[in-house]
Amino acid sequence: MRKKVIAGNWKMNKVLSEANSFVDEVVEKVPNSDQVEAIVCAPFPFLASLVEKANGSKVKIAAQNMHFEDNGAFTGEVSPVMLKDLGVTHVVLGHSERREYFAESDETVNKKTHAAFNHGLTPIVCVGETLEQREANETMNLVEAQVKKALEGLSADQVAKTIIAYEPVWAIGTGKTATSEQANEVCTHIRNVVKEVTSEETAEQLIIQYGGSVKPANVDELLAQSDIDGALVGGASLEADSFLQLVEAGTK
Ligand code: 13P
């Protein structure tokens, strides 16, 4: 049985004192269950402090992006070496906001996925279609291409350890959640694509999250689907209470 992975993506929100008190509270109240993993994806300036606060707890700290090079003349960028050195365990790659506003491409996501594994970080790779693409019936082909390119060149063992987050762009921050059937249909397709490029055994280990307007009121139904193993959550992860309810849902 795959465990559930609930990740809160704060995006560009909070100041350090708010981030610290959130993690203090979550560390204290997070359910002590092996069924669920709780990850906080925080802005770079908070990572060192949050890793220290989460140390020894069940809460993991993730970055929201990184460069694929180890170091060099890349002003403003943060490398996998820096994240690993801080004690960060996961990194979100290819979020649709990075694809839309910061020219992230399937090629750079692939380079970053390799860089993450080269440095012992677990990538959370985001894929998903826009409304226009869904209406043009392109969802399955597009998501398939994104997944294949992101995972290109990885070993089966690395693929098995990757987390894929299916986030339809039209459901992000809009309050429009994909129905659990719509979400599961694409997550099943992702697992089948991974099976095709690796093996059934590898595909069965892969954690696939759904993201897009997930909240305590709809999380149970989403997590009950056959191929949804967790959630990548924006808005509803900003308050500790709501984040804890989502993590709790993963224990059921
Ligand atoms: P919302 O949960 O705010 O829709 O954001 C989803 C998301 O983009 C998580 O990465």
Side-chain angles (χ1 to χ4, degrees):
M1 238 295 270
R2 293 181 294 270
K3 66 183 169 195
K4 299 285 193 287
V5 180
I6 306 295
N9 175 12
W10 289 349
K11 308 191 179 182
M12 196 173 71
N13 289 292
K14 296 192 186 293
V15 293
L16 181 60
S17 57
E18 293 165 342
N20 282 338
S21 45
F22 179 110
V23 171
D24 281 340
E25 186 177 346
V26 168
V27 160
E28 200 179 300
K29 298 181 182 166
V30 72
N32 187 20
S33 161
D34 290 336
Q35 295 290 100
V36 69
E37 189 158 289
I39 305 172
V40 173
C41 313
F44 293 128
F46 311 154
L47 293 174
S49 172
L50 300 188
V51 165
E52 201 179 309
K53 287 187 172 294
N55 190 22
S57 83
K58 290 189 61 71
V59 180
K60 303 277 196 312
I61 304 299
Q64 298 174 9
N65 179 38
M66 67 175 193
H67 199 278
F68 48 80
E69 293 288 351
D70 290 2
N71 49 52
F74 300 103
T75 301
E77 289 292 316
V78 170
S79 84
V81 177
M82 297 172 191
L83 297 178
K84 184 65 185 174
D85 180 60
L86 286 182
V88 164
T89 54
H90 295 69
V91 58
V92 178
L93 299 177
H95 192 282
S96 61
E97 288 148 17
R98 299 228 47 99
R99 292 178 191 259
E100 184 177 357
Y101 306 129
F102 303 99
E104 191 77 82
S105 67
D106 289 339
E107 284 72 25
T108 55
V109 171
N110 178 247
K111 286 184 179 170
K112 291 178 181 193
T113 308
H114 280 272
F117 281 117
N118 289 342
H119 294 284
L121 298 163
T122 300
I124 302 175
V125 176
C126 303
V127 297
E129 80 288 2
T130 62
L131 186 59
E132 215 180 8
Q133 290 162 333
R134 173 159 283 263
E135 285 173 349
N137 262 332
E138 290 168 4
T139 300
M140 296 301 189
N141 285 344
L142 178 101
V143 167
E144 177 168 341
Q146 288 176 326
V147 168
K148 281 185 172 164
K149 186 65 197 175
L151 303 180
E152 198 175 85
L154 294 182
S155 69
D157 189 47
Q158 290 170 333
V159 172
K161 290 186 179 134
T162 301
I163 298 174
I164 294 189
Y166 167 56
E167 298 204 308
V169 178
W170 50 272
I172 295 178
T174 57
K176 277 191 210 159
T177 327
T179 64
S180 39
E181 290 76 22
Q182 276 175 325
N184 194 52
E185 189 186 22
V186 181
C187 293
T188 302
H189 184 57
I190 291 171
R191 202 176 302 285
N192 286 335
V193 168
V194 170
K195 184 168 145 188
E196 184 195 311
V197 296
T198 58
S199 67
E200 177 151 15
E201 195 194 341
T202 301
E204 285 305 316
Q205 291 175 63
L206 183 78
I207 299 285
I208 305 176
Q209 299 175 312
Y210 166 77
S213 298
V214 176
K215 45 187 186 280
N218 60 21
V219 70
D220 288 335
E221 198 186 327
L222 288 160
L223 295 185
Q225 300 299 310
S226 58
D227 284 300
I228 301 180
D229 311 313
L232 182 58
V233 188
S237 76
L238 289 170
E239 297 297 330
D241 244 17
S242 157
F243 180 66
L244 283 162
Q245 284 179 54
L246 297 167
V247 177
E248 192 69 48
T251 65
K252 289 177 196 161

